Amino acid sequence: MATSTTDPKLGAPKLDRPELQAGGGTATAAAEARKLEYLNTTLTKYLKSIYDDVHTRYALGTKEGRSKWLLEEQQSPEADGELLQDGTFSHFSNYFMSESSSVLKTVLPVDESYPISNYFISSSHNTYLTGNQLSSESSVDAYKNVLLRGCRCVEIDVWDGEPPSSSSSEDEAASAGIPKVKKEKPELSIRKRLELRFGRKGSPPKEENSSHSQQSPPGDDKIALWRSNSSYRAEPRVLHGYTLTKDTPFRAVCATIRDYAFVTSNLPVIVSLEVHTSPEQQDIMVEIMTEYWKGMLVDLDPSQHSDSLELPKLKDMKNKILVKVKYTPPKPTTQVQPATLQAPAEPVKPIASASTTSSSSEDVPETEKKPSAPKPKITEALSRLGVYTRAYHFKSLDQPEATIPTHVFSLSEKALMEVHETQGPALFKHNKNFFMRAYPKGLRLNSSNLNPSVFWRAGVQIVALNWQRWDGGMMQNEGMFAGTNGWVLKPEGYRSSSKEETQKTAILHHNMDLSIEFLAGQDIPMPPEEDDPKDFKPYVKVELHVEKHEELEGEPIPGGGKSKAPEYKKKTKTQRTPNPDFGKEILKFEGIRRVTEELTFVRFKVMDDQRLSDDLAAWACFRLDRLQPGIRMLHLYDSNGVITKGVLFVRIRKIVSVAK
């Protein structure tokens, strides 16, 4: 798959051990990634000095001394003392080469006893894309990649398949594994290419000649084409509509989700459907999903589909796929007409411009919508799959659907910020009980991300991010979900069982003093553009992402929730080697107010000092309550989000007190 040559933050999914790539879940669960094979001379020098001091003050030769040091300075469990054994320097070193010395605190198993709306969920936006929003490829590998990295909510934009023809038969054969013979084509303008791609979407299929109708394409039956008794029928495809993104078969996407949804976790996966298909193609969608996800879909008697259906507990949804799709109320039985897959489809007219790239447009408030052709109505058969995640068009928090337990509202970042400013307390109250999804605005053509912590602090469960891009948004997503199974229980005041009514009172706010002493670094990865260690000039930038005053008061938030530079940031002096000696340099953040430990993030960025623009070399991001104090190894991801053997050797002091 192609990667962007102009934007280093964009890249194709990593297929080699994706569980070691950050994102939002299981990457840090790979124990071997948190172990060191050796300690270089600079780290050993500092470690020997620390050992002499600790041994003198705590008598590490005794079990009581080892336990006291772990409790008082490391704030670690007594069980870690087993690594120290007899307290010699050799075993002291073994402790720091193990995952027990990691800055990241071990995450306890999630409490699964709450309704599913009581959790933050690691979520992806336009999951099928491998790069930017306009011209990148769609790929089933993207679904495999994010699911193995802990993502628990994926998105599928589904469009009508091309009608069978000589050319589309070649495409079908290619999807089934038959090499496609390349033909010379005249160069077409973007306008013409868009017309050819979308101009006849939804048109009825043509009959194939006898030579086509009597043959079946060979290949893996997992992605075999749907067929009638007499001819091939186009199947739905997945792509970003009205752009030049390359499509991929809907059937292949469903097969990939089936195969990888529960490899790393048995907690449920939400599939957010953005449906642009005709009724006939929707019937095929239902057929494919029920075939491939058999036993995974929630199975309820139709009589249970009522507005009073309560959300289940997380523990009751294990190994289940929840389909988020727009709700269509059932018609009276006497009016239901059986659908036929051979009936001609109603054509879906394309909009006039190719610039509309926003996802989930049916959920955008009227004030933000741009004129476009009406979307196809969702059939009852497809709508019935959305049992606990029924999508409704959002008008206001006062609309009748806002009290239905199973409803989901999806809003763009801009629309959600407007609701936050005008109905802050109502928004918070709504999100304690019901699902809400936030997604990046359509103008983020380079797949950049919103600032997710702003929306988490408003109680939004599903903050969909572009996993195709490495930026502050995705780094915070890793900080929220690192080491988890992609579902994180909200703070107590954010849950449906709490009586707290506002974001301001829902969680304790603290004052904090944070001190980070940098001792040394080992094997720090260099930026992709740098290949000579002698030219690598690293420094570490530390950023705090703290709740702003405007968030608490329901005022307009600076930047509108965009991923902007944080208010608090400091950096070390520049070094000149991948194995730097920082000389015990200390960065201090004193008297920081409005700190909520569960919703504040600390980000470390190792930058390459350049004359014009500094390049990102490595990074790490932690939720404040998981940032362990003491003498620690801070393990680094490279600029493409892959865990490395690079570490920073640091001493962290953190004092948190209740704000008065």
Side-chain angles (χ1 to χ4, degrees), residues 333-346:
T333 305
T334 55
Q335 297 182 14
V336 174
Q337 298 295 327
T340 171
L341 295 180
Q342 297 302 316
E346 290 294 326

Side-chain angles (χ1 to χ4, degrees), residues 181-208:
V181 179
K182 186 175 180 180
K183 296 181 179 181
E184 293 296 326
K185 287 184 178 179
E187 188 67 27
L188 300 177
S189 67
I190 291 180
R191 179 186 295 274
K192 188 63 178 176
R193 290 163 69 187
L194 289 170
E195 288 177 356
L196 290 176
R197 183 181 284 272
F198 301 107
R200 294 187 299 169
K201 190 175 304 298
S203 57
K206 300 175 182 179
E207 287 294 328
E208 295 282 2

Side-chain angles (χ1 to χ4, degrees), residues 77 104-112 119 267 480-489 623 625-626:
L104 178 65
K105 185 177 182 180
T106 301
V107 181
L108 298 175
V110 65
D111 184 346
E112 302 169 354
Y119 300 82
L267 296 183
M480 169 62 82
F481 297 102
T484 75
N485 285 329
W487 288 71
V488 169
L489 185 63
R623 223 172 75 169
D625 62 333
R626 295 178 185 162

Side-chain angles (χ1 to χ4, degrees), residues 383-409:
S383 177
R384 280 197 297 270
L385 296 182
V387 178
Y388 294 120
T389 44
R390 291 159 41 171
Y392 290 89
H393 174 75
F394 177 77
K395 299 182 182 68
S396 75
L397 293 172
D398 299 322
Q399 68 190 80
E401 295 87 353
T403 60
I404 298 173
T406 57
H407 83 271
V408 182
F409 287 145

Side-chain angles (χ1 to χ4, degrees), residues 35 42 75 94 120 122 172 176 210 239 266 311 334 367 390 473 505 522 541 575 620 622 643 657:
K35 297 178 180 178
T42 307
Q75 297 183 26
N94 289 341
F120 296 123
S122 185
E172 294 173 354
S210 58
L239 73 153
N266 63 1
L311 290 177
T334 55
T367 56
R390 291 159 41 171
T505 61
Q522 175 175 297
K541 180 186 291 187
Q575 307 297 319
F622 307 93
I643 190 69
S657 59

Side-chain angles (χ1 to χ4, degrees), residues 573-591:
K573 297 176 183 177
T574 298
Q575 307 297 319
R576 288 184 174 272
T577 170
N579 299 284
D581 183 343
F582 290 102
K584 298 184 177 182
E585 183 175 0
I586 299 175
L587 300 184
K588 290 185 178 182
F589 298 87
E590 297 179 318

Side-chain angles (χ1 to χ4, degrees), residues 410-657:
S410 291
L411 294 89
S412 73
E413 55 183 293
K414 178 182 176 182
L416 214 156
M417 285 296 94
E418 291 175 355
V419 176
H420 182 273
E421 294 167 14
T422 57
Q423 295 181 275
L427 175 66
F428 177 79
K429 183 178 180 181
H430 172 276
N431 293 343
K432 285 174 60 180
N433 298 282
F434 310 112
F435 271 124
M436 183 167 283
R437 174 177 176 267
Y439 60 88
K441 64 182 181 180
L443 292 179
R444 292 183 180 272
L445 303 182
N446 63 353
S447 295
S448 63
N449 282 301
L450 47 79
N451 182 353
S453 58
V454 171
F455 300 92
W456 289 325
R457 288 192 285 264
V460 178
Q461 299 89 345
I462 304 173
V463 182
L465 299 177
N466 293 309
W467 287 47
Q468 308 91 343
R469 185 178 181 89
W470 290 107
D471 56 14
M474 277 302 296
M475 293 177 189
Q476 286 186 57
N477 205 65
E478 171 66 12
M480 169 62 82
F481 297 102
T484 75
N485 285 329
W487 288 71
V488 169
L489 185 63
K490 290 182 176 184
E492 185 176 356
Y494 279 68
R495 304 171 199 166
S496 55
S497 56
S498 171
K499 295 182 179 179
E500 296 296 338
E501 296 185 351
T502 67
Q503 180 177 339
K504 187 175 183 177
T505 61
I507 189 170
L508 284 176
H509 288 74
H510 300 87
N511 295 330
M512 180 186 71
D513 293 332
L514 178 65
S515 169
I516 304 168
E517 180 181 357
F518 291 88
L519 305 172
Q522 175 175 297
D523 296 334
I524 296 177
M526 296 186 294
E529 301 80 8
E530 187 63 76
D531 55 8
D532 188 351
K534 295 181 181 179
D535 293 333
F536 182 41
K537 296 180 290 184
Y539 66 89
V540 183
K541 180 186 291 187
V542 182
E543 301 174 346
L544 299 185
H545 296 265
V546 181
E547 189 170 27
K548 297 182 182 298
H549 169 78
E550 292 84 355
E551 291 182 55
L552 290 177
E553 302 299 334
E555 299 174 359
I557 299 174
K562 299 177 184 177
S563 189
K564 292 288 186 180
E567 182 178 353
Y568 305 102
K569 55 185 178 181
K570 294 179 181 291
K571 66 178 183 179
T572 67
K573 297 176 183 177
T574 298
Q575 307 297 319
R576 288 184 174 272
T577 170
N579 299 284
D581 183 343
F582 290 102
K584 298 184 177 182
E585 183 175 0
I586 299 175
L587 300 184
K588 290 185 178 182
F589 298 87
E590 297 179 318
I592 307 300
R593 302 178 58 199
R594 301 185 304 275
V595 171
T596 56
E597 285 198 89
E598 294 165 281
L599 295 170
T600 293
F601 296 86
V602 184
R603 180 161 61 137
F604 297 80
K605 295 194 297 182
V606 181
M607 307 297 294
D608 187 12
D609 197 343
Q610 298 292 318
R611 180 173 299 178
L612 297 178
S613 178
D614 297 347
D615 296 325
L616 176 68
W619 63 273
C621 187
F622 307 93
R623 223 172 75 169
L624 182 60
D625 62 333
R626 295 178 185 162
L627 183 74
Q628 296 201 101
I631 303 162
R632 296 289 175 183
M633 292 293 181
L634 194 157
H635 295 262
L636 296 169
Y637 290 97
D638 67 18
S639 59
N640 199 36
V642 180
I643 190 69
T644 71
K645 291 299 183 181
V647 294
L648 298 175
F649 192 28
V650 298
R651 187 196 304 264
I652 296 176
R653 293 182 173 91
K654 182 175 64 173
I655 301 175
V656 178
S657 59

Side-chain angles (χ1 to χ4, degrees), residues 53-119:
D53 175 63
V54 172
H55 186 67
T56 300
R57 292 188 293 116
Y58 287 93
L60 290 182
T62 67
K63 182 178 180 181
E64 293 76 14
R66 295 190 293 273
S67 297
K68 188 176 182 182
W69 174 69
L70 288 170
L71 178 64
E72 292 183 358
E73 293 202 11
Q74 297 295 91
Q75 297 183 26
S76 296
E78 188 176 349
D80 285 355
E82 297 178 5
L83 292 166
L84 298 172
Q85 293 191 22
D86 58 2
T88 61
F89 178 69
S90 175
H91 292 123
F92 193 70
S93 299
N94 289 341
Y95 168 80
F96 283 97
M97 293 171 67
S98 75
E99 59 183 320
S100 294
S101 68
S102 172
V103 167
L104 178 65
K105 185 177 182 180
T106 301
V107 181
L108 298 175
V110 65
D111 184 346
E112 302 169 354
S113 64
Y114 288 85
I116 56 177
S117 61
N118 283 242
Y119 300 82

